[in-house]
Amino acid sequence: MQVEDTAAGTNSFATFDFANGTRFPAKATLSIGAAVFNPGASVAYVPVTLNQPTPNTVIARVITVNGSDANKAISGYQYKTTEDVVIFRPGDPLRQTVSVPILDAADGQQFSLKLREAPWGANQGTATNTVTADADATPTAAATWGFRNPRTFRTYGTLQYEMTKDTMRWSDAGWSGAWSTKLSHGRAQPANGETGLYLDEELYPWVEAPLRYTDEGLVFHTQKLWSPITYNGTAYNYGSVVLSGHNTPATQIGYGQYEWVAKMPTRRGSWPAFWLISTSGWPPEIDVYEGFGYQSYWDFDRHISATIHGGSGGWRSFQRGTNIQAEQAYGLSGFSEGFHRYAVDIGPEYITWFVDGLETYQSVNPFRGFRFYPIMDVAVKTTGSYDDGSGDMVVKSFRAWEN
């Protein structure tokens, strides 16, 4: 029997019709509310609210802003600058408060709290609101109960597969004892804008080895090719690398957990990922981690992401996920500097993502009854020189538990 330490409250979406993974509940809307505090108070509580229960984790970054009129309150004089991360998990109450230290605010003085950007996982409602010192008002109350702490990754199934140097095998198509060096539909994904061809050293023996074991682990090596390779009529100037478990049943699970231990690349244009595809075809898809190195904002040492894609028959009807600065939200960083743990727990009620054992995201599970196979890869999406930093991802271990 499975025991899920998930949300503090009940699953508000237990009766939702996910239509076999093709529908998903609407996003909640997040807003900052107005707040009041009494002069002489040491703290002001500013409400952050959702308008309805959320089917997925919502993350919002907020920051205080000085007032702007004759009654303006100034940071360092009337209040202390506050920058915070507000996290709503499925089942949480719909109201939280941000605590702002008050220094010496007089009656009538005001400052604001605002969103730094649109919230992840929710629609944006009221993005800024005032915080006012008012001697005659009842101060805004703190939200102090009902929120659950993030889960810690644990396994409760049977270890079904473990990657080791002695047993790890791969081949073009893959088989029961080996991963495939291509995706189920082939060696390229031009529809994604990818410019790299997924290589196999047996098929292209003149390239630098796309996969090799070192003392650190299994190296996924991407490269700029010295000569283009033509595949399905398109010339590719870059080499990507993938291992897919679509023909390797031992790697496939329905409910259970996957965990990778890996060190990420740093090269601009690289696109490392750990992801899951339904054994019945795409979608559904669960992205455990993606590193969007082709985006200028992406910091391989600080950003993480998590996504689900719903639909059927090659048509995506929805996607939902998060793309966050993990150092600020969770105190996690250094993903290209050392090895870190990337895990997902697929249960009948929730899908929960973890980094280094700490929950970073959760979603109600719209894919109940599906089975998944894992993919680990580094794609290439660039037309540049592709020579900065490292284009290699190193996987030290991979395990799968079936529940």
Side-chain angles (χ1 to χ4, degrees):
M1 178 179 178
Q2 177 182 350
V3 178
E4 289 189 285
D5 49 343
T6 50
T10 58
N11 181 359
S12 301
F13 305 95
T15 61
F16 184 86
D17 181 10
F18 294 101
N20 201 34
T22 63
R23 296 180 63 240
F24 198 72
K27 288 182 179 180
T29 297
L30 182 142
S31 295
I32 296 177
V36 295
F37 62 96
N38 295 145
S42 61
V43 63
Y45 299 103
V46 188
V48 180
T49 63
L50 297 180
N51 70 324
Q52 63 188 38
T54 176
N56 53 264
T57 302
V58 173
I59 303 173
R61 295 197 304 161
V62 297
I63 191 169
T64 49
V65 179
N66 289 339
S68 59
D69 57 19
N71 288 324
K72 61 186 178 183
I74 304 297
S75 173
Y77 295 92
Q78 282 78 42
Y79 72 94
K80 184 177 180 180
T81 296
T82 299
E83 185 173 355
D84 205 353
V85 177
V86 179
I87 301 174
F88 289 91
R89 298 180 176 91
D92 276 352
L94 303 184
R95 178 182 181 272
Q96 295 194 41
T97 50
V98 174
S99 301
V100 181
I102 302 301
L103 302 176
D104 187 23
D107 192 35
Q109 287 191 302
Q110 294 182 338
F111 61 94
S112 297
L113 187 74
K114 75 169 187 176
L115 291 172
R116 295 201 61 170
E117 63 272 305
W120 292 295
N123 296 317
Q124 179 176 298
T126 303
T128 184
N129 225 318
T130 56
V131 185
T132 306
D134 189 334
D136 299 322
T138 300
T140 302
T144 59
W145 61 273
F147 300 94
R148 70 171 179 85
N149 293 323
R151 291 177 57 191
T152 299
F153 180 68
R154 63 184 182 88
T155 61
Y156 44 81
T158 301
L159 181 63
Q160 178 171 297
Y161 181 90
E162 183 170 11
M163 181 187 96
T164 69
K165 183 177 181 179
D166 292 335
T167 61
M168 188 68 175
R169 300 289 183 271
W170 55 82
S171 67
D172 175 23
W175 49 284
S176 60
W179 296 65
S180 174
T181 58
K182 64 184 178 184
L183 298 168
S184 62
H185 57 271
R187 296 195 166 275
Q189 294 205 102
N192 268 353
E194 295 180 24
T195 55
L197 180 69
Y198 291 102
L199 300 177
D200 184 303
E201 194 174 9
E202 295 295 319
L203 301 178
Y204 310 105
W206 59 89
V207 303
E208 299 167 5
L211 290 161
R212 69 182 190 278
Y213 260 103
T214 68
D215 291 340
E216 285 195 315
L218 181 58
V219 178
F220 288 65
H221 175 63
T222 62
Q223 57 197 279
K224 187 171 185 180
L225 301 171
W226 63 269
S227 179
I229 297 175
T230 299
Y231 177 83
N232 286 346
T234 299
Y236 289 88
N237 293 300
Y238 305 88
S240 300
V241 59
V242 64
L243 289 177
S244 173
H246 60 271
N247 286 331
T248 315
T251 69
Q252 300 168 7
I253 67 171
Y255 298 131
Q257 304 88 38
Y258 285 110
E259 183 189 57
W260 287 262
V261 178
K263 180 166 63 174
M264 293 302 159
T266 59
R267 183 168 292 168
R268 190 59 54 195
S270 63
W271 187 0
F274 302 132
W275 43 308
L276 314 174
I277 297 291
S278 167
T279 55
S280 60
W282 183 90
E285 174 180 334
I286 301 172
D287 298 320
V288 182
Y289 167 89
E290 287 183 90
F292 300 103
Y294 59 88
Q295 298 282 8
S296 60
Y297 72 85
W298 185 265
D299 185 333
F300 276 109
D301 277 325
R302 292 177 176 82
H303 285 97
I304 57 173
S305 67
T307 314
I308 57 174
H309 304 261
S312 65
W315 177 73
R316 182 173 59 196
S317 56
F318 71 85
Q319 72 177 58
R320 188 70 57 85
T322 189
N323 183 331
I324 60 174
Q325 210 271 46
E327 185 173 40
Q328 185 175 38
Y330 296 110
L332 301 168
S333 63
F335 306 121
S336 72
E337 297 173 351
F339 288 92
H340 295 263
R341 298 160 54 206
Y342 304 88
V344 66
D345 177 10
I346 306 170
E349 295 296 322
Y350 296 95
I351 304 170
T352 311
W353 288 252
F354 303 84
V355 176
D356 290 339
L358 179 71
E359 177 188 341
T360 55
Y361 191 68
Q362 188 178 74
S363 168
V364 294
N365 186 357
F367 309 134
R368 299 167 188 172
F370 284 87
R371 289 187 65 81
F372 293 91
Y373 67 85
I375 301 172
M376 40 185 160
D377 77 298
V378 183
V380 178
K381 190 173 181 178
T382 184
T383 57
S385 58
Y386 200 64
D387 59 3
D388 63 303
S390 169
D392 295 351
M393 176 177 71
V394 185
V395 178
K396 180 180 291 186
S397 73
F398 166 76
R399 293 182 291 177
W401 295 265
E402 176 83 59
N403 182 44

